[in-house]
Amino acid sequence: MAVQKKTNAGDKPEEKKTNWMQIGVIAFCVLMVVMCVLSFANFQNFFGGGGSAGPVEAGNPVAVEYIMYVGDKAVFTSIGGFIAGYETNESAYIPIDNSEKPYMVFADEQNAISTNVIGMNMGDKKTVELDGSALKYTYSKEDVEEMKLDFEKLEKGGMLQLDFPYIDELGELAYAVRTGVITEINDKELVLQYGTDKIEMVFGGYLQIS
């Protein structure tokens, strides 16, 4: 597994089968990333219904702003489209500005957002607790040096970026990234956790599908 210094900010990915519902959800995510470039002050103008639609019900297509954390470190922020209550068993690959590699969001992270948005009203905030401690790697000092990183300059709380291979929609090998946080380090090895401990979410509005 390739690892590199972070510059911008479980289950291993399996080959993806065509899943039109999943593709639709990913399409929402792409749409929301584009919208994120625009003024957030006018955010709700892009959605139908707004707060007048009431609490989110299962099956509603919604926009959710979310921040993923490892410990107290924010490792990924996005605005994504979700179908409330819809659960998947596949990872999603979210485009990142100024990067050819998307960010990989695991199935349990997507499911945590899509299920917990139910009952939320426009502008509501919620924090979802997860246990990301099982998703981690231990690297020896020699491993780190082979990656052309300076072990002596690394410290607890520092962030590194992991590359994960996956098969894209064209059936070709591609790479996605995850940001890991150094949770333990001594003079011989370090532990890099890339599993999410919590997700902070804000319900942004309802999406119109036509």
Side-chain angles (χ1 to χ4, degrees):
M1 191 64 60
V3 61
Q4 58 192 29
K5 286 187 178 180
K6 180 179 182 293
T7 55
N8 296 307
D11 55 341
K12 292 188 178 180
E14 301 177 351
E15 292 191 5
K16 298 177 67 178
K17 298 179 180 179
T18 302
N19 183 321
W20 294 111
M21 180 67 77
Q22 180 72 4
I23 290 173
V25 172
I26 294 173
F28 289 149
C29 295
V30 175
L31 175 64
M32 292 302 99
V33 170
V34 173
M35 289 179 177
C36 195
V37 177
L38 303 175
S39 172
F40 192 79
N42 295 320
F43 186 68
Q44 68 183 50
N45 293 335
F46 295 103
F47 307 105
S52 63
V56 175
E57 297 180 357
N60 289 156
V62 296
V64 179
E65 180 183 11
Y66 60 96
I67 306 173
M68 296 163 55
Y69 288 83
V70 174
D72 62 353
K73 300 287 185 179
V75 296
F76 184 63
T77 301
S78 186
I79 300 173
F82 296 86
I83 297 176
Y86 171 75
E87 295 191 24
T88 181
N89 59 5
E90 298 182 1
S91 297
Y93 302 91
I94 312 302
I96 305 173
D97 288 343
N98 303 316
S99 175
E100 295 181 356
K101 299 175 184 177
Y103 197 89
M104 180 165 58
V105 179
F106 293 130
D108 62 336
E109 296 161 343
Q110 298 174 72
N111 296 341
I113 296 171
S114 67
T115 56
N116 280 280
V117 74
I118 294 175
M120 294 179 71
N121 290 288
M122 182 73 172
D124 280 356
K125 299 179 181 180
K126 182 182 289 187
T127 298
V128 180
E129 301 290 338
L130 300 174
D131 183 7
S133 61
L135 299 182
K136 60 188 178 183
Y137 289 118
T138 298
Y139 293 101
S140 68
K141 182 177 181 179
E142 290 73 22
D143 291 333
V144 173
E145 290 174 345
E146 287 178 4
M147 298 168 193
K148 302 187 184 304
L149 299 176
D150 189 342
F151 188 89
E152 302 303 326
K153 291 184 178 180
L154 300 178
E155 57 186 17
K156 185 174 181 178
M159 297 185 186
L160 300 175
Q161 211 170 64
L162 290 162
D163 286 347
F164 283 80
Y166 73 102
I167 303 301
D168 66 17
E169 287 79 3
L170 300 177
E172 299 178 349
L173 178 66
Y175 288 88
V177 299
R178 292 279 298 192
T179 298
V181 175
I182 300 173
T183 56
E184 300 176 41
I185 189 168
N186 54 42
D187 58 353
K188 295 182 179 180
E189 62 184 21
L190 63 81
V191 176
L192 186 71
Q193 180 181 325
Y194 62 94
T196 299
D197 289 320
K198 70 177 180 180
I199 301 175
E200 291 182 351
M201 5 178 333
V202 179
F203 171 44
Y206 294 89
L207 295 172
Q208 289 184 328
I209 302 177
S210 59

mmCIF file of all heavy atoms in Angstrom, residues 132-170:
data_model
loop_
_atom_site.group_PDB
_atom_site.id
_atom_site.type_symbol
_atom_site.label_atom_id
_atom_site.label_comp_id
_atom_site.label_asym_id
_atom_site.label_seq_id
_atom_site.Cartn_x
_atom_site.Cartn_y
_atom_site.Cartn_z
ATOM 1 N N GLY A 132 -13.171 3.856 14.095
ATOM 2 C CA GLY A 132 -12.210 3.695 13.007
ATOM 3 C C GLY A 132 -10.913 3.050 13.431
ATOM 4 O O GLY A 132 -9.997 2.891 12.613
ATOM 5 N N SER A 133 -10.812 2.638 14.689
ATOM 6 C CA SER A 133 -9.535 2.163 15.228
ATOM 7 C C SER A 133 -9.046 0.864 14.584
ATOM 8 O O SER A 133 -7.854 0.552 14.631
ATOM 9 C CB SER A 133 -9.630 1.978 16.739
ATOM 10 O OG SER A 133 -10.615 1.008 17.071
ATOM 11 N N ALA A 134 -9.958 0.096 13.981
ATOM 12 C CA ALA A 134 -9.550 -1.168 13.362
ATOM 13 C C ALA A 134 -8.879 -0.953 12.009
ATOM 14 O O ALA A 134 -8.179 -1.839 11.509
ATOM 15 C CB ALA A 134 -10.756 -2.093 13.202
ATOM 16 N N LEU A 135 -9.090 0.213 11.419
ATOM 17 C CA LEU A 135 -8.523 0.493 10.096
ATOM 18 C C LEU A 135 -7.227 1.276 10.264
ATOM 19 O O LEU A 135 -7.214 2.503 10.353
ATOM 20 C CB LEU A 135 -9.526 1.281 9.244
ATOM 21 C CG LEU A 135 -10.850 0.571 8.971
ATOM 22 C CD1 LEU A 135 -11.733 1.430 8.090
ATOM 23 C CD2 LEU A 135 -10.622 -0.786 8.328
ATOM 24 N N LYS A 136 -6.134 0.542 10.347
ATOM 25 C CA LYS A 136 -4.840 1.174 10.589
ATOM 26 C C LYS A 136 -3.728 0.264 10.091
ATOM 27 O O LYS A 136 -3.929 -0.937 9.871
ATOM 28 C CB LYS A 136 -4.648 1.459 12.076
ATOM 29 C CG LYS A 136 -4.695 0.216 12.967
ATOM 30 C CD LYS A 136 -4.682 0.589 14.432
ATOM 31 C CE LYS A 136 -4.791 -0.649 15.318
ATOM 32 N NZ LYS A 136 -4.847 -0.279 16.756
ATOM 33 N N TYR A 137 -2.577 0.857 9.868
ATOM 34 C CA TYR A 137 -1.380 0.119 9.476
ATOM 35 C C TYR A 137 -0.261 0.470 10.447
ATOM 36 O O TYR A 137 -0.170 1.593 10.942
ATOM 37 C CB TYR A 137 -0.926 0.495 8.067
ATOM 38 C CG TYR A 137 -1.822 0.001 6.959
ATOM 39 C CD1 TYR A 137 -2.464 0.912 6.123
ATOM 40 C CD2 TYR A 137 -2.006 -1.363 6.728
ATOM 41 C CE1 TYR A 137 -3.284 0.469 5.097
ATOM 42 C CE2 TYR A 137 -2.825 -1.809 5.706
ATOM 43 C CZ TYR A 137 -3.462 -0.893 4.892
ATOM 44 O OH TYR A 137 -4.263 -1.323 3.878
ATOM 45 N N THR A 138 0.609 -0.512 10.693
ATOM 46 C CA THR A 138 1.823 -0.270 11.461
ATOM 47 C C THR A 138 3.010 -0.327 10.508
ATOM 48 O O THR A 138 3.166 -1.295 9.755
ATOM 49 C CB THR A 138 1.999 -1.323 12.570
ATOM 50 O OG1 THR A 138 0.898 -1.247 13.484
ATOM 51 C CG2 THR A 138 3.299 -1.086 13.341
ATOM 52 N N TYR A 139 3.798 0.741 10.509
ATOM 53 C CA TYR A 139 4.963 0.820 9.632
ATOM 54 C C TYR A 139 6.231 0.898 10.481
ATOM 55 O O TYR A 139 6.310 1.693 11.423
ATOM 56 C CB TYR A 139 4.901 2.073 8.755
ATOM 57 C CG TYR A 139 3.777 2.067 7.744
ATOM 58 C CD1 TYR A 139 2.611 2.793 7.994
ATOM 59 C CD2 TYR A 139 3.887 1.373 6.545
ATOM 60 C CE1 TYR A 139 1.572 2.799 7.065
ATOM 61 C CE2 TYR A 139 2.862 1.378 5.614
ATOM 62 C CZ TYR A 139 1.709 2.088 5.874
ATOM 63 O OH TYR A 139 0.690 2.094 4.965
ATOM 64 N N SER A 140 7.223 0.091 10.112
ATOM 65 C CA SER A 140 8.521 0.189 10.783
ATOM 66 C C SER A 140 9.265 1.413 10.246
ATOM 67 O O SER A 140 8.893 1.980 9.214
ATOM 68 C CB SER A 140 9.358 -1.075 10.511
ATOM 69 O OG SER A 140 9.724 -1.128 9.142
ATOM 70 N N LYS A 141 10.312 1.788 10.953
ATOM 71 C CA LYS A 141 11.126 2.911 10.503
ATOM 72 C C LYS A 141 11.684 2.625 9.109
ATOM 73 O O LYS A 141 11.729 3.519 8.244
ATOM 74 C CB LYS A 141 12.260 3.152 11.497
ATOM 75 C CG LYS A 141 13.152 4.330 11.141
ATOM 76 C CD LYS A 141 14.211 4.560 12.220
ATOM 77 C CE LYS A 141 15.082 5.762 11.873
ATOM 78 N NZ LYS A 141 16.107 6.000 12.925
ATOM 79 N N GLU A 142 12.064 1.362 8.867
ATOM 80 C CA GLU A 142 12.607 0.987 7.564
ATOM 81 C C GLU A 142 11.542 1.113 6.475
ATOM 82 O O GLU A 142 11.831 1.549 5.354
ATOM 83 C CB GLU A 142 13.147 -0.443 7.614
ATOM 84 C CG GLU A 142 14.407 -0.620 8.448
ATOM 85 C CD GLU A 142 14.148 -0.530 9.959
ATOM 86 O OE1 GLU A 142 12.981 -0.753 10.377
ATOM 87 O OE2 GLU A 142 15.105 -0.226 10.703
ATOM 88 N N ASP A 143 10.300 0.715 6.799
ATOM 89 C CA ASP A 143 9.201 0.848 5.835
ATOM 90 C C ASP A 143 9.034 2.301 5.408
ATOM 91 O O ASP A 143 8.881 2.618 4.229
ATOM 92 C CB ASP A 143 7.877 0.369 6.445
ATOM 93 C CG ASP A 143 7.845 -1.127 6.682
ATOM 94 O OD1 ASP A 143 8.543 -1.860 5.963
ATOM 95 O OD2 ASP A 143 7.097 -1.552 7.588
ATOM 96 N N VAL A 144 9.057 3.178 6.409
ATOM 97 C CA VAL A 144 8.864 4.603 6.142
ATOM 98 C C VAL A 144 9.991 5.152 5.279
ATOM 99 O O VAL A 144 9.754 5.922 4.334
ATOM 100 C CB VAL A 144 8.753 5.392 7.466
ATOM 101 C CG1 VAL A 144 8.719 6.891 7.202
ATOM 102 C CG2 VAL A 144 7.503 4.965 8.237
ATOM 103 N N GLU A 145 11.205 4.747 5.578
ATOM 104 C CA GLU A 145 12.349 5.244 4.814
ATOM 105 C C GLU A 145 12.319 4.736 3.374
ATOM 106 O O GLU A 145 12.730 5.430 2.452
ATOM 107 C CB GLU A 145 13.645 4.848 5.517
ATOM 108 C CG GLU A 145 13.842 5.607 6.828
ATOM 109 C CD GLU A 145 15.041 5.126 7.623
ATOM 110 O OE1 GLU A 145 15.554 4.020 7.308
ATOM 111 O OE2 GLU A 145 15.451 5.834 8.565
ATOM 112 N N GLU A 146 11.798 3.510 3.169
ATOM 113 C CA GLU A 146 11.657 2.972 1.818
ATOM 114 C C GLU A 146 10.637 3.776 1.013
ATOM 115 O O GLU A 146 10.672 3.797 -0.221
ATOM 116 C CB GLU A 146 11.249 1.506 1.869
ATOM 117 C CG GLU A 146 12.375 0.576 2.295
ATOM 118 C CD GLU A 146 11.937 -0.871 2.382
ATOM 119 O OE1 GLU A 146 10.755 -1.154 2.030
ATOM 120 O OE2 GLU A 146 12.747 -1.718 2.783
ATOM 121 N N MET A 147 9.703 4.417 1.719
ATOM 122 C CA MET A 147 8.713 5.262 1.061
ATOM 123 C C MET A 147 9.270 6.658 0.777
ATOM 124 O O MET A 147 8.546 7.538 0.328
ATOM 125 C CB MET A 147 7.466 5.389 1.950
ATOM 126 C CG MET A 147 6.754 4.095 2.224
ATOM 127 S SD MET A 147 5.531 4.307 3.532
ATOM 128 C CE MET A 147 5.152 2.596 3.920
ATOM 129 N N LYS A 148 10.559 6.826 1.080
ATOM 130 C CA LYS A 148 11.240 8.113 0.860
ATOM 131 C C LYS A 148 10.659 9.223 1.739
ATOM 132 O O LYS A 148 10.569 10.381 1.334
ATOM 133 C CB LYS A 148 11.203 8.505 -0.623
ATOM 134 C CG LYS A 148 11.835 7.468 -1.539
ATOM 135 C CD LYS A 148 11.939 7.957 -2.957
ATOM 136 C CE LYS A 148 12.497 6.862 -3.876
ATOM 137 N NZ LYS A 148 13.800 6.335 -3.432
ATOM 138 N N LEU A 149 10.284 8.861 2.959
ATOM 139 C CA LEU A 149 9.833 9.827 3.959
ATOM 140 C C LEU A 149 10.881 9.903 5.061
ATOM 141 O O LEU A 149 11.574 8.919 5.342
ATOM 142 C CB LEU A 149 8.487 9.411 4.560
ATOM 143 C CG LEU A 149 7.303 9.303 3.591
ATOM 144 C CD1 LEU A 149 6.073 8.784 4.329
ATOM 145 C CD2 LEU A 149 6.999 10.648 2.955
ATOM 146 N N ASP A 150 10.999 11.040 5.687
ATOM 147 C CA ASP A 150 11.955 11.232 6.774
ATOM 148 C C ASP A 150 11.277 10.871 8.091
ATOM 149 O O ASP A 150 10.475 11.633 8.625
ATOM 150 C CB ASP A 150 12.429 12.685 6.795
ATOM 151 C CG ASP A 150 13.584 12.896 7.770
ATOM 152 O OD1 ASP A 150 13.784 12.043 8.661
ATOM 153 O OD2 ASP A 150 14.283 13.915 7.638
ATOM 154 N N PHE A 151 11.578 9.684 8.604
ATOM 155 C CA PHE A 151 10.944 9.185 9.825
ATOM 156 C C PHE A 151 11.150 10.148 10.990
ATOM 157 O O PHE A 151 10.245 10.339 11.812
ATOM 158 C CB PHE A 151 11.503 7.802 10.177
ATOM 159 C CG PHE A 151 10.788 7.122 11.310
ATOM 160 C CD1 PHE A 151 9.690 6.327 11.071
ATOM 161 C CD2 PHE A 151 11.224 7.289 12.620
ATOM 162 C CE1 PHE A 151 9.018 5.702 12.123
ATOM 163 C CE2 PHE A 151 10.575 6.671 13.673
ATOM 164 C CZ PHE A 151 9.459 5.874 13.419
ATOM 165 N N GLU A 152 12.321 10.766 11.062
ATOM 166 C CA GLU A 152 12.648 11.626 12.190
ATOM 167 C C GLU A 152 11.784 12.888 12.229
ATOM 168 O O GLU A 152 11.645 13.509 13.280
ATOM 169 C CB GLU A 152 14.130 12.028 12.129
ATOM 170 C CG GLU A 152 15.106 10.859 12.131
ATOM 171 C CD GLU A 152 14.928 9.955 13.348
ATOM 172 O OE1 GLU A 152 14.598 10.484 14.431
ATOM 173 O OE2 GLU A 152 15.111 8.733 13.216
ATOM 174 N N LYS A 153 11.197 13.259 11.110
ATOM 175 C CA LYS A 153 10.379 14.468 11.065
ATOM 176 C C LYS A 153 8.891 14.193 11.301
ATOM 177 O O LYS A 153 8.091 15.122 11.388
ATOM 178 C CB LYS A 153 10.553 15.170 9.717
ATOM 179 C CG LYS A 153 11.937 15.771 9.531
ATOM 180 C CD LYS A 153 12.035 16.540 8.220
ATOM 181 C CE LYS A 153 13.401 17.185 8.062
ATOM 182 N NZ LYS A 153 13.514 17.942 6.783
ATOM 183 N N LEU A 154 8.538 12.913 11.398
ATOM 184 C CA LEU A 154 7.145 12.557 11.628
ATOM 185 C C LEU A 154 6.837 12.596 13.118
ATOM 186 O O LEU A 154 7.693 12.322 13.958
ATOM 187 C CB LEU A 154 6.857 11.160 11.069
ATOM 188 C CG LEU A 154 7.089 10.996 9.559
ATOM 189 C CD1 LEU A 154 6.811 9.556 9.142
ATOM 190 C CD2 LEU A 154 6.239 11.966 8.764
ATOM 191 N N GLU A 155 5.586 12.937 13.458
ATOM 192 C CA GLU A 155 5.198 13.014 14.858
ATOM 193 C C GLU A 155 3.734 12.627 15.030
ATOM 194 O O GLU A 155 2.959 12.614 14.059
ATOM 195 C CB GLU A 155 5.421 14.425 15.403
ATOM 196 C CG GLU A 155 4.693 15.506 14.646
ATOM 197 C CD GLU A 155 5.051 16.902 15.130
ATOM 198 O OE1 GLU A 155 6.079 17.058 15.817
ATOM 199 O OE2 GLU A 155 4.287 17.829 14.813
ATOM 200 N N LYS A 156 3.374 12.306 16.251
ATOM 201 C CA LYS A 156 1.990 11.925 16.557
ATOM 202 C C LYS A 156 1.051 13.065 16.167
ATOM 203 O O LYS A 156 1.316 14.232 16.438
ATOM 204 C CB LYS A 156 1.864 11.621 18.044
ATOM 205 C CG LYS A 156 0.496 11.088 18.445
ATOM 206 C CD LYS A 156 0.478 10.669 19.907
ATOM 207 C CE LYS A 156 -0.885 10.119 20.293
ATOM 208 N NZ LYS A 156 -0.917 9.658 21.710
ATOM 209 N N GLY A 157 -0.049 12.706 15.505
ATOM 210 C CA GLY A 157 -1.002 13.706 15.050
ATOM 211 C C GLY A 157 -0.746 14.170 13.631
ATOM 212 O O GLY A 157 -1.577 14.857 13.040
ATOM 213 N N GLY A 158 0.406 13.780 13.078
ATOM 214 C CA GLY A 158 0.707 14.144 11.703
ATOM 215 C C GLY A 158 -0.156 13.353 10.725
ATOM 216 O O GLY A 158 -0.669 12.282 11.048
ATOM 217 N N MET A 159 -0.333 13.889 9.532
ATOM 218 C CA MET A 159 -1.170 13.261 8.520
ATOM 219 C C MET A 159 -0.344 12.772 7.345
ATOM 220 O O MET A 159 0.584 13.446 6.902
ATOM 221 C CB MET A 159 -2.227 14.254 8.016
ATOM 222 C CG MET A 159 -3.202 14.721 9.077
ATOM 223 S SD MET A 159 -4.489 15.783 8.360
ATOM 224 C CE MET A 159 -5.341 16.306 9.863
ATOM 225 N N LEU A 160 -0.688 11.586 6.870
ATOM 226 C CA LEU A 160 -0.092 11.014 5.673
ATOM 227 C C LEU A 160 -1.214 10.552 4.755
ATOM 228 O O LEU A 160 -2.333 10.285 5.206
ATOM 229 C CB LEU A 160 0.813 9.830 6.017
ATOM 230 C CG LEU A 160 2.005 10.097 6.935
ATOM 231 C CD1 LEU A 160 2.704 8.795 7.273
ATOM 232 C CD2 LEU A 160 2.976 11.059 6.262
ATOM 233 N N GLN A 161 -0.915 10.431 3.478
ATOM 234 C CA GLN A 161 -1.932 10.033 2.517
ATOM 235 C C GLN A 161 -1.639 8.633 1.995
ATOM 236 O O GLN A 161 -0.520 8.327 1.597
ATOM 237 C CB GLN A 161 -1.966 11.033 1.358
ATOM 238 C CG GLN A 161 -3.338 11.191 0.733
ATOM 239 C CD GLN A 161 -3.362 12.359 -0.227
ATOM 240 O OE1 GLN A 161 -2.681 12.355 -1.243
ATOM 241 N NE2 GLN A 161 -4.141 13.377 0.095
ATOM 242 N N LEU A 162 -2.678 7.792 2.010
ATOM 243 C CA LEU A 162 -2.566 6.425 1.524
ATOM 244 C C LEU A 162 -3.201 6.304 0.151
ATOM 245 O O LEU A 162 -4.265 6.881 -0.103
ATOM 246 C CB LEU A 162 -3.295 5.465 2.480
ATOM 247 C CG LEU A 162 -2.668 5.235 3.847
ATOM 248 C CD1 LEU A 162 -3.704 4.646 4.796
ATOM 249 C CD2 LEU A 162 -1.492 4.292 3.731
ATOM 250 N N ASP A 163 -2.580 5.530 -0.729
ATOM 251 C CA ASP A 163 -3.144 5.225 -2.038
ATOM 252 C C ASP A 163 -3.783 3.833 -2.000
ATOM 253 O O ASP A 163 -3.148 2.868 -1.565
ATOM 254 C CB ASP A 163 -2.060 5.241 -3.119
ATOM 255 C CG ASP A 163 -1.619 6.653 -3.470
ATOM 256 O OD1 ASP A 163 -2.295 7.620 -3.090
ATOM 257 O OD2 ASP A 163 -0.584 6.777 -4.131
ATOM 258 N N PHE A 164 -5.026 3.737 -2.467
ATOM 259 C CA PHE A 164 -5.732 2.467 -2.518
ATOM 260 C C PHE A 164 -6.090 2.139 -3.976
ATOM 261 O O PHE A 164 -6.735 2.950 -4.654
ATOM 262 C CB PHE A 164 -7.029 2.520 -1.701
ATOM 263 C CG PHE A 164 -6.831 2.427 -0.222
ATOM 264 C CD1 PHE A 164 -6.445 3.542 0.513
ATOM 265 C CD2 PHE A 164 -7.015 1.224 0.451
ATOM 266 C CE1 PHE A 164 -6.261 3.467 1.881
ATOM 267 C CE2 PHE A 164 -6.828 1.138 1.818
ATOM 268 C CZ PHE A 164 -6.452 2.252 2.536
ATOM 269 N N PRO A 165 -5.712 0.953 -4.466
ATOM 270 C CA PRO A 165 -6.096 0.581 -5.827
ATOM 271 C C PRO A 165 -7.572 0.180 -5.882
ATOM 272 O O PRO A 165 -8.118 -0.349 -4.918
ATOM 273 C CB PRO A 165 -5.192 -0.614 -6.125
ATOM 274 C CG PRO A 165 -4.932 -1.229 -4.790
ATOM 275 C CD PRO A 165 -4.886 -0.084 -3.809
ATOM 276 N N TYR A 166 -8.201 0.463 -7.007
ATOM 277 C CA TYR A 166 -9.576 0.000 -7.237
ATOM 278 C C TYR A 166 -9.812 -0.098 -8.736
ATOM 279 O O TYR A 166 -9.012 0.389 -9.543
ATOM 280 C CB TYR A 166 -10.594 0.937 -6.577
ATOM 281 C CG TYR A 166 -10.789 2.273 -7.271
ATOM 282 C CD1 TYR A 166 -11.901 2.512 -8.080
ATOM 283 C CD2 TYR A 166 -9.868 3.315 -7.116
ATOM 284 C CE1 TYR A 166 -12.088 3.743 -8.710
ATOM 285 C CE2 TYR A 166 -10.041 4.538 -7.734
ATOM 286 C CZ TYR A 166 -11.155 4.745 -8.537
ATOM 287 O OH TYR A 166 -11.333 5.959 -9.167
ATOM 288 N N ILE A 167 -10.906 -0.732 -9.131
ATOM 289 C CA ILE A 167 -11.266 -0.852 -10.535
ATOM 290 C C ILE A 167 -12.352 0.172 -10.831
ATOM 291 O O ILE A 167 -13.414 0.161 -10.203
ATOM 292 C CB ILE A 167 -11.767 -2.277 -10.864
ATOM 293 C CG1 ILE A 167 -10.702 -3.312 -10.494
ATOM 294 C CG2 ILE A 167 -12.139 -2.373 -12.337
ATOM 295 C CD1 ILE A 167 -9.373 -3.141 -11.204
ATOM 296 N N ASP A 168 -12.070 1.072 -11.766
ATOM 297 C CA ASP A 168 -13.026 2.141 -12.050
ATOM 298 C C ASP A 168 -14.157 1.662 -12.957
ATOM 299 O O ASP A 168 -14.213 0.478 -13.333
ATOM 300 C CB ASP A 168 -12.323 3.370 -12.629
ATOM 301 C CG ASP A 168 -11.709 3.126 -14.007
ATOM 302 O OD1 ASP A 168 -12.084 2.136 -14.678
ATOM 303 O OD2 ASP A 168 -10.854 3.932 -14.418
ATOM 304 N N GLU A 169 -15.068 2.594 -13.315
ATOM 305 C CA GLU A 169 -16.249 2.240 -14.089
ATOM 306 C C GLU A 169 -15.904 1.728 -15.479
ATOM 307 O O GLU A 169 -16.722 1.077 -16.136
ATOM 308 C CB GLU A 169 -17.192 3.450 -14.207
ATOM 309 C CG GLU A 169 -17.935 3.805 -12.923
ATOM 310 C CD GLU A 169 -17.067 4.586 -11.947
ATOM 311 O OE1 GLU A 169 -15.910 4.903 -12.304
ATOM 312 O OE2 GLU A 169 -17.547 4.886 -10.835
ATOM 313 N N LEU A 170 -14.695 2.017 -15.952
ATOM 314 C CA LEU A 170 -14.254 1.545 -17.263
ATOM 315 C C LEU A 170 -13.549 0.197 -17.168
ATOM 316 O O LEU A 170 -13.058 -0.325 -18.174
ATOM 317 C CB LEU A 170 -13.323 2.584 -17.906
ATOM 318 C CG LEU A 170 -13.929 3.967 -18.143
ATOM 319 C CD1 LEU A 170 -12.881 4.915 -18.713
ATOM 320 C CD2 LEU A 170 -15.135 3.876 -19.075
#
